[in-house]
Amino acid sequence: MKVFKFGGASIKNALAIKNMCQIVSDHKDSDLLVVVSAMGKTTNNLELLLKERTDEAATDKNLKALLDFHMNISSELFPANHDIFNSLIDHISDLRASLQSSADYNELYDQVVSKGELISSNIIAAYLDHCGTPSQWIDAREYVRTDNNFREGHVDWKLTEELIRHDIHSLAQNNVLVTQGFIGKAENGLTTTLGREGSDFSAAIFASCLSADSVTVWKDVPGILNADPKLVKDAVLFDELPYQEAAEMTYYGANVIHPKTIKPLANKGIPLHVKSFDHPNEPGTIIHECTLKESLPPTIIIKNDQCLISFKVIDFTFVNEDNLSLIFKKLSENNIKINIMQNSAISFSIVIDNDISKIQKLVLSLKDHFDIRYNNGLQLITLKNYQQETLNSYRTDKKILLEQISRKNYRALISP
Ligand code: ASP
Ligand code: MG
C-alpha cells in the first residue's frame, strides 16, 4: 500500500488536476490512498470568509468567489450535466449555514475551513472516475479521530489506527482511495483540523496506521533543497536525508514538510519521498534511515512574519523559575510554540509565529505579572550545519535583534 499526498499547488487549476490524476493513474496498479489538500489558496479564502462573516455583502461575495472558483475548474474537467456541479452548490450552502453558528471561534473555524478539503477531494475522486481510474471517496473524519482541541486536534492514535486498519486495506484493493488531508473528527463528533498545512501529517497518519510501504508528497519543487531556490541561486537538492535531519529542518521552519509528519513515519521505518509533480519521473528526495557518506551542505531556513515578545519582570526581581514556569504555562494553554527564546537578568524573550489572536490572549493573561513588549514583522534565519568561513556573509549589514550559535547551528532574528 502506498500513500500519495497532493498539496494545494498541485491541484490549483484544471490543468494541474489533470496532471495530478495522470500521476495517480500511472500508479493505480499498487493499492493507493491519495490524500489531498484544498485547491490553490482555498484555505486562505475560507479564513477570509470567516473573518468577514458578520458583513453580509462581503459574505455573499466571498461565497460566490469560492463557488465560481470550483465551478470554473470543474467546467474544464466535466461535462455540463455531471453531478459534481450540484454537489458544489450543496457544499456552498452548507458553508453558508455553518457561518450562522454562534459557536466558539476555533470550533467554527474548523467547521468552515475543513470545507476546502471536502470539496477538493470530491472533485478529484469524481475526476479520477471520469477518466477511467476507479476511485472511492473516503471521509477522513471517519478515521482520523482527535480530541476536542479545535484548530490543532491531537490525534487519538489508538482509535485512529483501529478504524483505519479495519477497512482501508480491503477498500483499496478495488479502487484508488481519495481522502482529505488536514481534517479529523473530535470526540464530540464535530470536525477538527490538525493545524495549517496539516495534510502532510494526515498522509503520515494514514501511512503509519496502515504500515504503508511509502509516502510520496508531490510538490512544486524538485525535492528538499538546502535553501529556497527563489531566494538562493545555487540551491542544492538532497537525494536522501535521514529522518532526524529532516525532522530538525521542519522544526526550524523549513516549510517543505509539516513538522509532525516525520515522527510517525520514522517510528515505523516508512520512507517519505518528496517529488516534483511537474517532473514525476525525477527521483526527488527520499527521507529514510540512512547514514550519509558526506557531510551535509549548510541549510538555510527562513521563517518570516515572526513576533518577538519580551516579558520584563516588574518588581525588581530577576527572571526566575517561578515566573518562567508561569510564562510556559500560558504558552501551553494558548497552544503557542516558541521558535527561539533567550533570557537576560530581568527579561525573558520569545519569538513566535505572528498570530494576533493568540498573542492578544497571551498578553492579557500575563500583563499583571510582566511588562510586556512586542515587535512584529521579523525574520528568523537558521543556518543548519553552517560553515565557519561563510558565516559572516549571513551576519553583515543586518539588524540582528537576537542571535544564537552552537556547534552546528547559527540562528538570528532580523529586523528587515
Ligand atoms: N489546506 C490546508 C492549509 O492550507 C492544509 C494543507 O494544505 O496541508 O493549511
Ligand atoms: Mg498546502
Side-chain angles (χ1 to χ4, degrees):
M1 177 105 198
K2 288 184 177 157
V3 176
F4 280 4
K5 182 260 168 173
F6 290 91
S10 63
I11 49 173
K12 65 177 183 206
N13 55 34
L15 195 65
I17 293 172
K18 288 179 184 170
N19 177 53
M20 175 250 161
C21 288
Q22 185 60 50
I23 295 175
V24 170
S25 138
D26 289 344
H27 291 86
K28 68 177 173 211
D29 292 341
S30 2
D31 291 353
L32 199 57
L33 173 74
V34 177
V35 175
V36 295
S37 299
M39 293 176 172
K41 300 277 172 233
T42 301
T43 307
N44 293 353
N45 294 334
L46 287 163
E47 285 185 344
L48 181 73
L49 173 71
L50 256 178
K51 196 166 146 214
E52 298 183 339
R53 70 189 178 282
T54 52
D55 178 340
E56 227 175 284
T59 300
D60 285 345
K61 185 175 130 256
N62 293 335
L63 283 170
K64 180 168 184 313
L66 272 162
L67 180 62
D68 287 350
F69 173 72
H70 291 99
M71 282 283 196
N72 289 339
I73 289 179
S74 300
S75 60
E76 287 183 53
L77 300 173
F78 301 97
N81 59 355
H82 197 280
D83 281 349
I84 195 73
F85 297 102
N86 286 330
S87 345
L88 291 178
I89 292 169
D90 292 345
H91 280 300
I92 299 296
S93 329
D94 287 354
L95 254 181
R96 190 184 283 280
S98 333
L99 289 170
Q100 308 305 321
S101 150
S102 56
D104 157 77
Y105 180 78
N106 289 344
E107 180 183 311
L108 177 64
Y109 178 99
D110 283 358
Q111 311 321 301
V112 169
V113 170
S114 54
K115 263 292 180 202
E117 273 68 12
L118 290 165
I119 298 177
S120 66
S121 56
N122 197 179
I123 295 177
I124 303 284
Y127 188 62
L128 282 167
D129 268 337
H130 179 67
C131 300
T133 302
S135 78
Q136 183 169 345
W137 181 87
I138 298 277
D139 188 337
R141 297 169 297 185
E142 295 311 320
Y143 299 95
V144 178
R145 297 305 180 93
T146 71
D147 60 6
N148 294 339
N149 190 35
F150 295 101
R151 294 188 70 184
E152 182 95 51
H154 302 114
V155 176
D156 175 342
W157 281 97
K158 193 164 170 282
L159 177 59
T160 299
E161 176 151 12
E162 228 169 79
L163 294 166
I164 288 178
R165 283 196 170 261
H166 189 259
D167 47 14
I168 294 288
H169 277 297
S170 54
L171 291 173
Q173 278 170 16
N174 306 320
N175 291 300
V176 169
L177 305 181
V178 179
T179 196
Q180 309 78 42
F182 183 50
I183 72 173
K185 192 199 270 186
E187 287 150 358
N188 65 9
L190 291 171
T191 304
T192 44
T193 61
L194 307 175
R196 284 297 311 259
E197 304 301 329
S199 297
D200 295 339
F201 182 39
S202 301
I205 295 169
F206 277 103
S208 155
C209 295
L210 290 164
S211 297
D213 298 319
S214 65
V215 175
T216 306
V217 173
W218 297 90
K219 304 224 32 138
D220 55 358
V221 286
I224 299 189
L225 298 139
N226 75 326
D228 182 344
K230 287 180 210 117
L231 305 174
V232 175
K233 256 204 335 287
D234 341 298
V236 185
L237 174 71
F238 296 112
D239 302 331
E240 59 172 358
L241 281 173
Y243 290 117
Q244 180 68 29
E245 187 66 27
E248 284 180 24
M249 282 162 79
T250 66
Y251 173 85
Y252 291 124
N255 50 18
V256 262
I257 297 289
H258 187 275
K260 290 186 182 166
T261 311
I262 309 283
K263 184 170 173 255
L265 300 179
N267 285 344
K268 291 249 172 126
I270 300 169
L272 170 61
H273 298 268
V274 179
K275 284 169 68 103
S276 157
F277 56 70
D278 285 326
H279 306 281
N281 297 324
E282 298 287 316
T285 302
I286 173 167
I287 300 166
H288 58 165
E289 203 51 70
C290 60
T291 325
L292 297 169
K293 285 172 227 76
E294 289 162 39
S295 61
L296 289 165
T299 301
I300 307 156
I301 302 160
I302 297 177
K303 250 172 128 46
N304 288 316
D305 203 15
Q306 297 293 290
C307 177
L308 170 68
I309 311 186
S310 297
F311 302 90
K312 200 167 155 221
V313 283
I314 38 191
D315 51 2
F316 297 102
T317 56
F318 295 129
V319 170
N320 64 22
E321 288 66 23
D322 288 339
N323 41 46
L324 284 178
S325 74
L326 180 63
I327 296 172
F328 280 111
K329 181 162 175 275
K330 295 298 169 193
L331 286 167
S332 158
E333 281 171 12
N334 288 295
N335 263 317
I336 298 177
K337 293 184 197 72
I338 300 178
N339 297 330
I340 193 168
M341 59 188 161
Q342 188 155 290
N343 67 306
S344 71
I346 53 160
S347 107
F348 178 64
S349 301
I350 58 170
V351 176
I352 62 177
D353 293 345
N354 183 18
D355 180 327
I356 284 296
S357 75
K358 285 187 178 180
I359 294 172
Q360 279 167 350
K361 279 192 197 154
L362 179 75
V363 170
L364 198 66
S365 68
L366 290 167
K367 71 175 178 18
D368 295 337
H369 304 269
F370 304 93
D371 175 12
I372 306 174
R373 303 272 158 94
Y374 61 93
N375 191 352
N376 274 325
L378 307 174
Q379 193 177 56
L380 180 61
I381 297 191
T382 301
L383 220 58
K384 204 171 179 319
N385 310 313
Y386 69 88
Q387 286 154 357
Q388 198 64 48
E389 315 85 73
T390 51
L391 189 57
N392 278 341
S393 64
Y394 295 99
R395 305 168 109 163
T396 33
D397 305 329
K398 297 215 166 78
K399 190 172 168 213
I400 297 176
L401 302 183
L402 186 157
E403 195 171 36
Q404 284 178 8
I405 188 156
S406 69
R407 261 186 310 146
K408 282 184 118 179
N409 304 325
Y410 168 77
R411 308 187 77 200
L413 183 70
I414 288 168
S415 173

